Amino acid sequence: MLFEMTMKKIKLFDYQEDMVKRVQEAFKHHDAVMVQMPTGTGKTYLLAALVGLFLKEEVWVVAHRRELVSQIKDTLERFFPSLKSTSIKVTSIQWLSRHYGEMEEKPGLIVIDEAHHALAETYAEVMNAYPKAKKLGLTATPYRLNGKGFTDLFDTLLCSWSMEKFIAEGRLSLYDYYSIKPDSAAQLLIDSLQKRGADGDYQQKELNEVMDVKPSLERLCLTIKEYVPGTKGIVYAISIQHAEHIAEFYRENGIKAVAISSKTPLAERQKLIERFKSSSLSPSLNSTSDDIEVLVSVDLFSEGFDCPDVEFIQLARPTLSLAKYMQMVGRGLRVAEGKEYCVILDNVGLYKRFGLPSVDRDWQSMFEGRT
C-alpha cells in the first residue's frame, strides 16, 4: 500500500514502470542489482520510485559529488515532503565513508547513483559493511576505464531500451554530429598525447599545454559561428583555466559565454545556471542582454544537470573514458518543446574512439569486464 501511494505521486513512463518491476523481480534472487539507463531518461525519478519500496526500512542514497546529493534531495523531497523525518538519508560517499561506523542504523537498501564510480575502494568498503542490505546501482554507462567489471559488487545488470530506441520513440532528442577529420592536424595532435593521470585518462597538465592555446580557441569559436550561431549550448573544457580562456575568447567574438566550475561560489553558480536555463531558444536568444548563450564547464554538468532545451554540446576536452563521453553528449539529448534536434560539435575527435552516441553497445560485456 505504501508503494502504491508513492507511485501515485511519481508519474513514470512505461519504460520506467517496467524497470521498477524488473528490479523488484531481480531482488527476489539477488542482493545487488545494477541498472543501466541512458542519460536523460529519468534515472532520478526511477530512484525515487524504488526508494518508495523500502520506506519501512532505512534507505541510504549515495552520490560522489555534492551537486548530485543536492539534486537527489530536491527530487525526493517533491515526492516525500517529510523527507527529513523519514528513514531516507541522501549523502556523499566521502561523508558516509568517514561516518558509517558511527551510525546505529542499519540500511535495508543502499542506492549508488552514478554507479560506474562504485569500484572505488570507499564504495566497496561501505557496501561490504552491510551484507544484509539490498544494493542498487544506477548508471548510464556500466563501464570503467581500466576495463574491470562490476561483478564483485553487483550480481546482475538490468538494461533499459537502447539509446537508438529512445530517440526513435521521441524520448530523447534527434542529433546532428560534426567531428574533426581523423587525419586532421587537430586529431593527430590529440593522438600524440602520451601521459596519463591517476584515473587512467589523459593527464590534465599535458592537455592544457597542448589544447589551451590560441589556435585551438580560435578553432572552437569558428566551429560555433559556422554551425550553431546564436544558439544555446554547453562547452566541456579541460580545466578551470581552459574554461575561463574559452569563455573570454567567445565574449571577445560576440558570443555570450560564461565559465562555471566547482570553484565558482555556490550562490553565483546557481544564479548563472538560472540565467542560462531561462535564456530562450533561438532565434530570440539575443533579445535581452541578460541571456547566456554558452556555459563553459569543467565536468560540472557531465552528471546530474538538467536543462532540456540545450541546442548544442561542444566537446573541447579529449577523454579516454566512454562514461565521460556519454555523459557529456547526453546533456544535449533531452527533449524540449520547440527543440527539433541537438548539434554535437566534436572538436577533439571522440567519435574516432567511441563512435556515435546512439551506437549499440554491449553493456553486459562491459559489466562483466570482458570488454
Side-chain angles (χ1 to χ4, degrees), residues 37-64:
M37 289 175 61
T39 298
T41 58
K43 290 193 297 298
T44 310
Y45 271 53
L46 177 72
L47 182 157
L50 290 167
V51 164
L53 292 167
F54 287 83
L55 286 183
K56 292 182 179 179
E57 302 182 61
E58 187 79 12
V59 178
W60 293 354
V61 182
V62 187
H64 71 289

PDB file of all heavy atoms in Angstrom, residues 37-64:
ATOM      1  N   MET A  37      20.520   2.938 -17.667  1.00  0.00           N
ATOM      2  CA  MET A  37      19.576   3.737 -18.446  1.00  0.00           C
ATOM      3  C   MET A  37      20.326   4.919 -19.024  1.00  0.00           C
ATOM      4  O   MET A  37      21.126   5.543 -18.328  1.00  0.00           O
ATOM      5  CB  MET A  37      18.418   4.246 -17.577  1.00  0.00           C
ATOM      6  CG  MET A  37      17.437   3.175 -17.142  1.00  0.00           C
ATOM      7  SD  MET A  37      16.174   3.854 -16.005  1.00  0.00           S
ATOM      8  CE  MET A  37      15.386   5.093 -17.051  1.00  0.00           C
ATOM      9  N   PRO A  38      20.101   5.279 -20.287  1.00  0.00           N
ATOM     10  CA  PRO A  38      20.840   6.390 -20.888  1.00  0.00           C
ATOM     11  C   PRO A  38      20.621   7.710 -20.158  1.00  0.00           C
ATOM     12  O   PRO A  38      19.564   7.938 -19.551  1.00  0.00           O
ATOM     13  CB  PRO A  38      20.270   6.463 -22.317  1.00  0.00           C
ATOM     14  CG  PRO A  38      19.719   5.107 -22.574  1.00  0.00           C
ATOM     15  CD  PRO A  38      19.214   4.614 -21.264  1.00  0.00           C
ATOM     16  N   THR A  39      21.603   8.578 -20.219  1.00  0.00           N
ATOM     17  CA  THR A  39      21.483   9.931 -19.689  1.00  0.00           C
ATOM     18  C   THR A  39      20.259  10.617 -20.287  1.00  0.00           C
ATOM     19  O   THR A  39      20.023  10.541 -21.486  1.00  0.00           O
ATOM     20  CB  THR A  39      22.746  10.745 -20.037  1.00  0.00           C
ATOM     21  OG1 THR A  39      23.871  10.130 -19.413  1.00  0.00           O
ATOM     22  CG2 THR A  39      22.626  12.180 -19.550  1.00  0.00           C
ATOM     23  N   GLY A  40      19.468  11.251 -19.423  1.00  0.00           N
ATOM     24  CA  GLY A  40      18.306  11.989 -19.902  1.00  0.00           C
ATOM     25  C   GLY A  40      17.009  11.220 -19.912  1.00  0.00           C
ATOM     26  O   GLY A  40      15.980  11.743 -20.355  1.00  0.00           O
ATOM     27  N   THR A  41      17.026   9.969 -19.414  1.00  0.00           N
ATOM     28  CA  THR A  41      15.806   9.154 -19.454  1.00  0.00           C
ATOM     29  C   THR A  41      15.156   8.993 -18.084  1.00  0.00           C
ATOM     30  O   THR A  41      14.247   8.195 -17.928  1.00  0.00           O
ATOM     31  CB  THR A  41      16.097   7.763 -20.065  1.00  0.00           C
ATOM     32  OG1 THR A  41      17.105   7.100 -19.295  1.00  0.00           O
ATOM     33  CG2 THR A  41      16.569   7.899 -21.502  1.00  0.00           C
ATOM     34  N   GLY A  42      15.622   9.743 -17.094  1.00  0.00           N
ATOM     35  CA  GLY A  42      14.900   9.797 -15.823  1.00  0.00           C
ATOM     36  C   GLY A  42      15.332   8.803 -14.768  1.00  0.00           C
ATOM     37  O   GLY A  42      14.477   8.198 -14.106  1.00  0.00           O
ATOM     38  N   LYS A  43      16.646   8.645 -14.573  1.00  0.00           N
ATOM     39  CA  LYS A  43      17.111   7.719 -13.535  1.00  0.00           C
ATOM     40  C   LYS A  43      16.736   8.197 -12.132  1.00  0.00           C
ATOM     41  O   LYS A  43      16.477   7.382 -11.253  1.00  0.00           O
ATOM     42  CB  LYS A  43      18.629   7.530 -13.632  1.00  0.00           C
ATOM     43  CG  LYS A  43      19.100   6.761 -14.839  1.00  0.00           C
ATOM     44  CD  LYS A  43      20.553   6.347 -14.726  1.00  0.00           C
ATOM     45  CE  LYS A  43      21.500   7.512 -14.652  1.00  0.00           C
ATOM     46  NZ  LYS A  43      21.466   8.367 -15.890  1.00  0.00           N
ATOM     47  N   THR A  44      16.687   9.521 -11.928  1.00  0.00           N
ATOM     48  CA  THR A  44      16.376  10.029 -10.591  1.00  0.00           C
ATOM     49  C   THR A  44      14.923   9.756 -10.230  1.00  0.00           C
ATOM     50  O   THR A  44      14.603   9.462  -9.072  1.00  0.00           O
ATOM     51  CB  THR A  44      16.678  11.539 -10.496  1.00  0.00           C
ATOM     52  OG1 THR A  44      17.992  11.791 -10.990  1.00  0.00           O
ATOM     53  CG2 THR A  44      16.606  12.008  -9.062  1.00  0.00           C
ATOM     54  N   TYR A  45      14.020   9.854 -11.201  1.00  0.00           N
ATOM     55  CA  TYR A  45      12.617   9.502 -10.942  1.00  0.00           C
ATOM     56  C   TYR A  45      12.487   8.007 -10.648  1.00  0.00           C
ATOM     57  O   TYR A  45      11.714   7.597  -9.780  1.00  0.00           O
ATOM     58  CB  TYR A  45      11.749   9.878 -12.145  1.00  0.00           C
ATOM     59  CG  TYR A  45      11.208  11.293 -12.084  1.00  0.00           C
ATOM     60  CD1 TYR A  45      12.066  12.377 -11.889  1.00  0.00           C
ATOM     61  CD2 TYR A  45       9.853  11.558 -12.207  1.00  0.00           C
ATOM     62  CE1 TYR A  45      11.591  13.672 -11.829  1.00  0.00           C
ATOM     63  CE2 TYR A  45       9.353  12.859 -12.148  1.00  0.00           C
ATOM     64  CZ  TYR A  45      10.241  13.914 -11.955  1.00  0.00           C
ATOM     65  OH  TYR A  45       9.756  15.196 -11.884  1.00  0.00           O
ATOM     66  N   LEU A  46      13.221   7.192 -11.387  1.00  0.00           N
ATOM     67  CA  LEU A  46      13.232   5.759 -11.122  1.00  0.00           C
ATOM     68  C   LEU A  46      13.743   5.503  -9.711  1.00  0.00           C
ATOM     69  O   LEU A  46      13.186   4.680  -8.970  1.00  0.00           O
ATOM     70  CB  LEU A  46      14.119   5.046 -12.146  1.00  0.00           C
ATOM     71  CG  LEU A  46      14.283   3.540 -11.933  1.00  0.00           C
ATOM     72  CD1 LEU A  46      12.996   2.807 -12.276  1.00  0.00           C
ATOM     73  CD2 LEU A  46      15.432   2.992 -12.776  1.00  0.00           C
ATOM     74  N   LEU A  47      14.807   6.213  -9.334  1.00  0.00           N
ATOM     75  CA  LEU A  47      15.368   6.076  -7.988  1.00  0.00           C
ATOM     76  C   LEU A  47      14.293   6.364  -6.936  1.00  0.00           C
ATOM     77  O   LEU A  47      14.135   5.612  -5.969  1.00  0.00           O
ATOM     78  CB  LEU A  47      16.549   7.038  -7.834  1.00  0.00           C
ATOM     79  CG  LEU A  47      17.351   7.058  -6.538  1.00  0.00           C
ATOM     80  CD1 LEU A  47      18.750   7.616  -6.809  1.00  0.00           C
ATOM     81  CD2 LEU A  47      16.690   7.903  -5.454  1.00  0.00           C
ATOM     82  N   ALA A  48      13.540   7.458  -7.133  1.00  0.00           N
ATOM     83  CA  ALA A  48      12.505   7.826  -6.169  1.00  0.00           C
ATOM     84  C   ALA A  48      11.442   6.734  -6.056  1.00  0.00           C
ATOM     85  O   ALA A  48      10.998   6.395  -4.954  1.00  0.00           O
ATOM     86  CB  ALA A  48      11.856   9.148  -6.578  1.00  0.00           C
ATOM     87  N   ALA A  49      11.035   6.171  -7.192  1.00  0.00           N
ATOM     88  CA  ALA A  49      10.025   5.109  -7.171  1.00  0.00           C
ATOM     89  C   ALA A  49      10.535   3.877  -6.429  1.00  0.00           C
ATOM     90  O   ALA A  49       9.800   3.250  -5.665  1.00  0.00           O
ATOM     91  CB  ALA A  49       9.625   4.751  -8.595  1.00  0.00           C
ATOM     92  N   LEU A  50      11.805   3.540  -6.639  1.00  0.00           N
ATOM     93  CA  LEU A  50      12.367   2.360  -5.986  1.00  0.00           C
ATOM     94  C   LEU A  50      12.590   2.598  -4.494  1.00  0.00           C
ATOM     95  O   LEU A  50      12.411   1.683  -3.681  1.00  0.00           O
ATOM     96  CB  LEU A  50      13.681   1.963  -6.670  1.00  0.00           C
ATOM     97  CG  LEU A  50      13.495   1.399  -8.083  1.00  0.00           C
ATOM     98  CD1 LEU A  50      14.824   1.316  -8.826  1.00  0.00           C
ATOM     99  CD2 LEU A  50      12.835   0.024  -8.027  1.00  0.00           C
ATOM    100  N   VAL A  51      12.948   3.822  -4.124  1.00  0.00           N
ATOM    101  CA  VAL A  51      13.054   4.155  -2.698  1.00  0.00           C
ATOM    102  C   VAL A  51      11.701   3.953  -2.017  1.00  0.00           C
ATOM    103  O   VAL A  51      11.619   3.513  -0.872  1.00  0.00           O
ATOM    104  CB  VAL A  51      13.549   5.609  -2.519  1.00  0.00           C
ATOM    105  CG1 VAL A  51      13.302   6.112  -1.095  1.00  0.00           C
ATOM    106  CG2 VAL A  51      15.040   5.708  -2.847  1.00  0.00           C
ATOM    107  N   GLY A  52      10.616   4.250  -2.760  1.00  0.00           N
ATOM    108  CA  GLY A  52       9.278   4.066  -2.205  1.00  0.00           C
ATOM    109  C   GLY A  52       8.975   2.635  -1.813  1.00  0.00           C
ATOM    110  O   GLY A  52       8.092   2.378  -0.989  1.00  0.00           O
ATOM    111  N   LEU A  53       9.701   1.688  -2.366  1.00  0.00           N
ATOM    112  CA  LEU A  53       9.520   0.276  -2.000  1.00  0.00           C
ATOM    113  C   LEU A  53      10.070  -0.044  -0.618  1.00  0.00           C
ATOM    114  O   LEU A  53       9.713  -1.054  -0.012  1.00  0.00           O
ATOM    115  CB  LEU A  53      10.228  -0.621  -3.026  1.00  0.00           C
ATOM    116  CG  LEU A  53       9.662  -0.687  -4.433  1.00  0.00           C
ATOM    117  CD1 LEU A  53      10.643  -1.348  -5.374  1.00  0.00           C
ATOM    118  CD2 LEU A  53       8.340  -1.436  -4.443  1.00  0.00           C
ATOM    119  N   PHE A  54      10.954   0.810  -0.123  1.00  0.00           N
ATOM    120  CA  PHE A  54      11.695   0.487   1.090  1.00  0.00           C
ATOM    121  C   PHE A  54      11.465   1.491   2.220  1.00  0.00           C
ATOM    122  O   PHE A  54      12.280   1.603   3.128  1.00  0.00           O
ATOM    123  CB  PHE A  54      13.200   0.423   0.777  1.00  0.00           C
ATOM    124  CG  PHE A  54      13.610  -0.784  -0.007  1.00  0.00           C
ATOM    125  CD1 PHE A  54      13.480  -0.807  -1.376  1.00  0.00           C
ATOM    126  CD2 PHE A  54      14.126  -1.917   0.631  1.00  0.00           C
ATOM    127  CE1 PHE A  54      13.858  -1.919  -2.117  1.00  0.00           C
ATOM    128  CE2 PHE A  54      14.500  -3.029  -0.095  1.00  0.00           C
ATOM    129  CZ  PHE A  54      14.373  -3.046  -1.461  1.00  0.00           C
ATOM    130  N   LEU A  55      10.342   2.215   2.176  1.00  0.00           N
ATOM    131  CA  LEU A  55      10.124   3.267   3.161  1.00  0.00           C
ATOM    132  C   LEU A  55       9.989   2.736   4.587  1.00  0.00           C
ATOM    133  O   LEU A  55      10.147   3.488   5.550  1.00  0.00           O
ATOM    134  CB  LEU A  55       8.890   4.088   2.797  1.00  0.00           C
ATOM    135  CG  LEU A  55       9.050   5.048   1.613  1.00  0.00           C
ATOM    136  CD1 LEU A  55       7.782   5.851   1.413  1.00  0.00           C
ATOM    137  CD2 LEU A  55      10.227   5.987   1.834  1.00  0.00           C
ATOM    138  N   LYS A  56       9.694   1.467   4.753  1.00  0.00           N
ATOM    139  CA  LYS A  56       9.601   0.891   6.095  1.00  0.00           C
ATOM    140  C   LYS A  56      10.967   0.523   6.644  1.00  0.00           C
ATOM    141  O   LYS A  56      11.101   0.111   7.799  1.00  0.00           O
ATOM    142  CB  LYS A  56       8.695  -0.344   6.078  1.00  0.00           C
ATOM    143  CG  LYS A  56       7.227  -0.008   5.806  1.00  0.00           C
ATOM    144  CD  LYS A  56       6.366  -1.259   5.850  1.00  0.00           C
ATOM    145  CE  LYS A  56       4.894  -0.913   5.605  1.00  0.00           C
ATOM    146  NZ  LYS A  56       4.030  -2.121   5.625  1.00  0.00           N
ATOM    147  N   GLU A  57      11.996   0.677   5.814  1.00  0.00           N
ATOM    148  CA  GLU A  57      13.361   0.365   6.234  1.00  0.00           C
ATOM    149  C   GLU A  57      14.240   1.607   6.080  1.00  0.00           C
ATOM    150  O   GLU A  57      13.828   2.616   5.536  1.00  0.00           O
ATOM    151  CB  GLU A  57      13.921  -0.784   5.379  1.00  0.00           C
ATOM    152  CG  GLU A  57      13.106  -2.063   5.430  1.00  0.00           C
ATOM    153  CD  GLU A  57      13.742  -3.166   4.611  1.00  0.00           C
ATOM    154  OE1 GLU A  57      14.883  -3.551   4.922  1.00  0.00           O
ATOM    155  OE2 GLU A  57      13.090  -3.629   3.646  1.00  0.00           O
ATOM    156  N   GLU A  58      15.478   1.482   6.586  1.00  0.00           N
ATOM    157  CA  GLU A  58      16.459   2.550   6.414  1.00  0.00           C
ATOM    158  C   GLU A  58      16.987   2.519   4.979  1.00  0.00           C
ATOM    159  O   GLU A  58      17.392   1.468   4.476  1.00  0.00           O
ATOM    160  CB  GLU A  58      17.610   2.348   7.404  1.00  0.00           C
ATOM    161  CG  GLU A  58      18.600   3.477   7.451  1.00  0.00           C
ATOM    162  CD  GLU A  58      18.118   4.674   8.268  1.00  0.00           C
ATOM    163  OE1 GLU A  58      17.112   4.552   8.987  1.00  0.00           O
ATOM    164  OE2 GLU A  58      18.769   5.726   8.166  1.00  0.00           O
ATOM    165  N   VAL A  59      16.958   3.666   4.301  1.00  0.00           N
ATOM    166  CA  VAL A  59      17.453   3.756   2.931  1.00  0.00           C
ATOM    167  C   VAL A  59      18.571   4.788   2.874  1.00  0.00           C
ATOM    168  O   VAL A  59      18.407   5.922   3.330  1.00  0.00           O
ATOM    169  CB  VAL A  59      16.331   4.164   1.944  1.00  0.00           C
ATOM    170  CG1 VAL A  59      16.894   4.300   0.525  1.00  0.00           C
ATOM    171  CG2 VAL A  59      15.188   3.156   1.965  1.00  0.00           C
ATOM    172  N   TRP A  60      19.703   4.402   2.299  1.00  0.00           N
ATOM    173  CA  TRP A  60      20.805   5.332   2.085  1.00  0.00           C
ATOM    174  C   TRP A  60      20.985   5.527   0.582  1.00  0.00           C
ATOM    175  O   TRP A  60      21.166   4.557  -0.170  1.00  0.00           O
ATOM    176  CB  TRP A  60      22.117   4.798   2.672  1.00  0.00           C
ATOM    177  CG  TRP A  60      22.120   4.709   4.174  1.00  0.00           C
ATOM    178  CD1 TRP A  60      21.147   5.150   5.032  1.00  0.00           C
ATOM    179  CD2 TRP A  60      23.143   4.129   4.983  1.00  0.00           C
ATOM    180  NE1 TRP A  60      21.501   4.881   6.328  1.00  0.00           N
ATOM    181  CE2 TRP A  60      22.721   4.264   6.343  1.00  0.00           C
ATOM    182  CE3 TRP A  60      24.368   3.518   4.717  1.00  0.00           C
ATOM    183  CZ2 TRP A  60      23.492   3.798   7.401  1.00  0.00           C
ATOM    184  CZ3 TRP A  60      25.133   3.063   5.780  1.00  0.00           C
ATOM    185  CH2 TRP A  60      24.706   3.203   7.103  1.00  0.00           C
ATOM    186  N   VAL A  61      20.935   6.774   0.140  1.00  0.00           N
ATOM    187  CA  VAL A  61      21.192   7.105  -1.255  1.00  0.00           C
ATOM    188  C   VAL A  61      22.539   7.825  -1.302  1.00  0.00           C
ATOM    189  O   VAL A  61      22.726   8.843  -0.641  1.00  0.00           O
ATOM    190  CB  VAL A  61      20.086   7.998  -1.842  1.00  0.00           C
ATOM    191  CG1 VAL A  61      20.361   8.273  -3.318  1.00  0.00           C
ATOM    192  CG2 VAL A  61      18.717   7.343  -1.667  1.00  0.00           C
ATOM    193  N   VAL A  62      23.467   7.291  -2.082  1.00  0.00           N
ATOM    194  CA  VAL A  62      24.856   7.748  -2.036  1.00  0.00           C
ATOM    195  C   VAL A  62      25.278   8.264  -3.413  1.00  0.00           C
ATOM    196  O   VAL A  62      25.045   7.615  -4.437  1.00  0.00           O
ATOM    197  CB  VAL A  62      25.798   6.596  -1.602  1.00  0.00           C
ATOM    198  CG1 VAL A  62      27.206   7.122  -1.383  1.00  0.00           C
ATOM    199  CG2 VAL A  62      25.278   5.914  -0.339  1.00  0.00           C
ATOM    200  N   ALA A  63      25.903   9.440  -3.437  1.00  0.00           N
ATOM    201  CA  ALA A  63      26.434  10.024  -4.673  1.00  0.00           C
ATOM    202  C   ALA A  63      27.870  10.469  -4.430  1.00  0.00           C
ATOM    203  O   ALA A  63      28.319  10.562  -3.281  1.00  0.00           O
ATOM    204  CB  ALA A  63      25.572  11.191  -5.134  1.00  0.00           C
ATOM    205  N   HIS A  64      28.589  10.777  -5.493  1.00  0.00           N
ATOM    206  CA  HIS A  64      30.012  11.092  -5.348  1.00  0.00           C
ATOM    207  C   HIS A  64      30.312  12.580  -5.393  1.00  0.00           C
ATOM    208  O   HIS A  64      31.455  12.983  -5.224  1.00  0.00           O
ATOM    209  CB  HIS A  64      30.834  10.366  -6.430  1.00  0.00           C
ATOM    210  CG  HIS A  64      30.637  10.917  -7.818  1.00  0.00           C
ATOM    211  ND1 HIS A  64      29.473  10.735  -8.505  1.00  0.00           N
ATOM    212  CD2 HIS A  64      31.438  11.653  -8.627  1.00  0.00           C
ATOM    213  CE1 HIS A  64      29.570  11.330  -9.684  1.00  0.00           C
ATOM    214  NE2 HIS A  64      30.743  11.898  -9.780  1.00  0.00           N
TER     215      HIS A  64
END
